[in-house]
Structure formats: C-alpha cells, structure tokens
Amino acid sequence: MDQNTEVRPEDAGAGSGVRFRGEAIVDEQTGEVLGRIALDHGILTFEVVPEARRRGVATTAVREFSRALLTRRDRLEMRIGWDNPVAQRVALAAGYTRESVRRGDPELIVFSRLAGDPEGPTPRLLPDLPGGELSDGVITLRPLGERDADFYTELHNLPDVIATSVPPEPRPAEEVRRRCVRAEAHWLAGTRADLVILDSATGERAGEIGLYYQEPPTGQAMIGYSTLPAYRGRGFASRAAQLIALWAFAETGIARLIAGTLPTNTGSQRVLEKAGFTREAYLRSRLPGPDGTRTDDVQYVLLAGDLLAQASGGGTSHA
C-alpha cells in the first residue's frame, strides 16, 4: 500500500468531534481528555471518562482510531467480557463483527474488523425492542437481565417447568445466573432474545419467554415460555407469544416461528393455539427425556400471514 496514503492515528477523527493525543481521546474543540484508546499486539482497548459517556464518544473514537490503523494492517480485534454489553454495543456500532468466544478465565467475546469491511455499524439480526419493551396493556415484555436471577431460579426450579425443559433436569444456580448475566450479549449476537413477562397492572414478574434464532439462513426461529403458577390460566403466555411474534415479523428477517410441546402438555398446546399457532408435525423421539429416554415433540408453527388473517378476523381470545 502507498505509505503516503496512510492515516496516522493522531491525525484521525478530524470533523468527528474527537482527536487522539498518544493514548488519550480528546475533544476536538476543547482539548478536554475524554478517555483513552490503545492497541497492544493487535488488540484494541478503550475507556471513556464517566462525564463523557452516553454521548457517542466511545463509538466515534473506536471507529476513527480503527479506520486509521486499518490503513496499515489487515485486521484489528477487540476482546470483551460477557458482562460488558456496553462495550459490545460500541464494537458493533463501530463496524466490528462478533467472531468467536475465547475460552479461559475470564471467557471473552472476540470482535474483529478487517481492512475490507464495509463502513458503518454491523447489522444486527435481533434489534432492540422499540422503547425497550413490548406491551398490550395487560402484560409487558422486557429483556432478561442480571437483576432477574432470583426470579429465574425460582421459575426454573418448579417441578413442572423442569419436566418440560430440554433436557428435563434442574439447572444449577450458577448456570441460571450466567444465563441472566449473558442475556444481553446473546441478544446482541442475534442468537437469542430472552424476555421477562410482567403483569402490567402490578409490575410483578409473571414468567419468561425466549426467542431462539436458530436458523437465520432460512428465517426460522423458535419460542419457549414458562409462567409462575399464580399467573397461569390468565392468558399471559398466549399474549406474550403474540407480542414477540408481532415484533419478530415486523422488525427482523424471521419468516417462521415454531414451538414444540410434549404430547401430554395440553396446557402449552392451548397457549399456542390461542396465540394463533397451528399444529404442524409430530416428531417421534425428537427430544432427550429423563433417565436417558427420548420423548416425542408436537410442533406448532406461526407465519406472518397467520397474524394478518387473525387480525382481520377480529383477534384472538385470551380467556
């Protein structure tokens, strides 16, 4: 590459609001130090002072610093903890792609940016919820987080919830906590959207629903849900399934939503039917069962057209 066309880091960022002085990120107009950014053996790290956060400083700095460095190298990398979704969002907004998980202690998510990557933020398969939540006035769905660990532990230790889980085994407390802590990272990766079902009238947690985007190439995702006993029979799970379906079909590339139930789980089958799902298949020995056995799976499906037909027909009862 012609060395005269290279951009030095200290010259980068002109007109963006930030410039670089050594490892310091500085305000382009005032010279105020806003944070630091550095490259060590191809690994980019950054931090922003509290007063400069939520102003786009980190994204701008990472984007401009990376753009300058990529005139001289083919690849940059960032390694970010599962419990640091803010930094993960910065990486994606600055054009980095989630690449892998680096095993160890701590376990780190690897993001990379190559010299030939397109400019602009990295597209996400699962965008954020509009306004941060979904609601129909009766229930509200919001993203699962670390604060929900106790509730999630209680829910997933209920005998009937364990019995319908895959596999049907109790989850260790650390695994449950880890799922809550890592929920936002999975959402940002586009693999899973885990949500808590709230009673809109009281704000109390009633259950959970998850969307698992297991087949992006074919546009198929799966949902699963559980509710506390006190909230069953009130249509909460059906409402949650409809809300997440409406969001998925409107805001993502998902074309098919599937859900499975045990043949004996007639309650869950009624939930899906009330939400507009149609029974599609009976899959023999589809799932691992207790004590090394296998269980059958009754599979349901919902398409975007089904929801439109349902709406034109006056809606679905949640009785």
Side-chain angles (χ1 to χ4, degrees):
M1 182 178 292
D2 183 354
Q3 296 297 311
N4 293 324
T5 66
E6 293 181 359
V7 179
R8 298 179 303 169
E10 57 267 29
D11 297 327
S16 70
V18 302
R19 298 297 293 271
F20 305 101
R21 189 170 61 232
E23 293 188 354
I25 306 168
V26 299
D27 186 292
E28 189 175 21
Q29 299 299 320
T30 67
E32 174 190 5
V33 175
L34 304 175
R36 62 169 293 278
I37 191 165
L39 188 73
D40 184 16
H41 295 93
I43 311 300
L44 189 146
T45 60
F46 72 93
E47 59 183 340
V48 173
V49 299
E51 296 78 13
R53 293 171 186 168
R54 299 184 180 277
R55 290 164 40 186
V57 170
T59 297
T60 300
V62 170
R63 182 186 66 237
E64 298 301 323
F65 195 74
S66 300
R67 181 182 290 159
L69 290 171
L70 285 170
T71 63
R72 295 193 290 252
R73 55 175 61 232
D74 295 326
R75 171 189 171 88
L76 294 173
E77 188 174 295
M78 299 174 71
R79 298 176 181 177
I80 304 172
W82 282 95
D83 59 350
N84 192 353
V86 173
Q88 295 168 37
R89 287 178 178 275
V90 168
L92 293 170
Y96 281 72
T97 297
R98 190 184 194 273
E99 184 175 89
S100 62
V101 174
R102 186 175 184 272
R103 298 169 62 200
D105 187 14
E107 199 172 72
L108 300 171
I109 304 172
V110 178
F111 292 80
S112 65
R113 184 170 171 183
L114 307 183
D117 285 348
E119 292 290 332
T122 299
R124 287 174 51 192
L125 292 175
L126 297 175
D128 294 331
L129 301 181
E133 62 182 30
L134 302 173
S135 182
D136 64 1
V138 175
I139 66 161
T140 299
L141 304 182
R142 65 154 174 80
L144 177 74
E146 185 174 7
R147 58 179 165 162
D148 300 306
D150 289 344
F151 155 75
Y152 212 71
T153 300
E154 175 190 358
L155 180 63
H156 284 270
N157 275 287
L158 294 172
D160 57 348
V161 173
I162 293 172
T164 56
S165 298
V166 181
E169 301 170 354
R171 301 291 188 267
E174 179 54 30
E175 180 182 325
V176 172
R177 190 195 72 81
R178 184 166 59 245
R179 179 161 179 178
C180 294
V181 169
R182 297 183 174 187
E184 187 171 353
H186 284 297
W187 195 312
L188 292 171
T191 57
R192 192 166 78 211
D194 287 310
L195 301 111
V196 177
I197 305 170
L198 304 176
D199 182 342
S200 296
T202 64
E204 293 296 318
R205 300 172 178 90
E208 57 90 17
I209 187 166
L211 179 145
Y212 313 97
Y213 204 175
Q214 82 277 47
E215 285 189 29
T218 67
Q220 178 171 282
M222 179 176 67
I223 66 166
Y225 45 82
S226 303
T227 55
L228 293 172
Y231 293 92
R232 295 173 188 170
R234 297 170 59 180
F236 278 27
S238 294
R239 289 178 179 276
Q242 278 196 323
L243 279 175
I244 202 169
L246 286 166
W247 169 76
F249 291 139
E251 303 294 338
T252 78
I254 294 169
R256 281 173 53 91
L257 273 179
I258 63 170
T261 78
L262 294 175
T264 55
N265 193 350
T266 55
S268 185
Q269 292 167 27
R270 285 195 297 270
V271 164
L272 292 169
E273 289 163 359
K274 288 178 182 178
F277 283 72
T278 301
R279 177 167 166 162
E280 184 175 55
Y282 190 101
L283 307 178
R284 298 171 58 202
S285 292
R286 169 73 176 85
L287 303 171
D291 303 320
T293 62
R294 303 288 298 182
T295 63
D296 299 342
D297 184 36
V298 181
Q299 196 163 98
Y300 285 74
V301 66
L302 180 68
L303 309 178
D306 298 337
L307 282 182
L308 290 176
Q310 189 180 131
S312 64
T316 294
S317 170
H318 293 280

